[in-house]
Amino acid sequence: MEEIRAFLALRILGVIPPCRLTGHDLLLVLIKLAESQDSHTTLDTFFTTTQATHSHLGEWSSNVPAPA
């Protein structure tokens, strides 16, 4: 994983411009970026995701663009 950290950062940041993401999606992208740079992250943990639990649907943002 150490050898591909810089590549992952460039891919995560360069695929979709942040201004085209909703606030929720941008947060997920930034979380993945942080995970990719953590020295304790392995390939298995990086590519494994778990669904977050939400107490009510109002916690989800829908089609709200991220601040510029």
Side-chain angles (χ1 to χ4, degrees):
M1 181 82 177
E2 189 65 35
E3 296 84 21
I4 63 171
R5 287 189 202 288
F7 171 78
L8 284 174
L10 290 173
R11 293 298 294 169
I12 290 169
L13 293 173
V15 173
I16 300 173
C19 62
R20 299 200 59 200
L21 298 172
T22 64
H24 182 263
D25 291 337
L26 179 59
L27 181 60
L28 292 175
V29 167
L30 293 175
I31 289 169
K32 278 306 200 184
L33 175 62
E35 284 180 352
S36 74
Q37 301 306 302
D38 183 9
S39 62
H40 295 115
T41 300
T42 65
L43 285 175
D44 290 334
T45 58
F46 183 75
F47 290 109
T48 302
T49 57
T50 57
Q51 185 172 358
T53 57
H54 296 280
S55 58
H56 58 83
L57 294 177
E59 293 181 16
W60 285 93
S61 62
S62 59
N63 299 322
V64 177

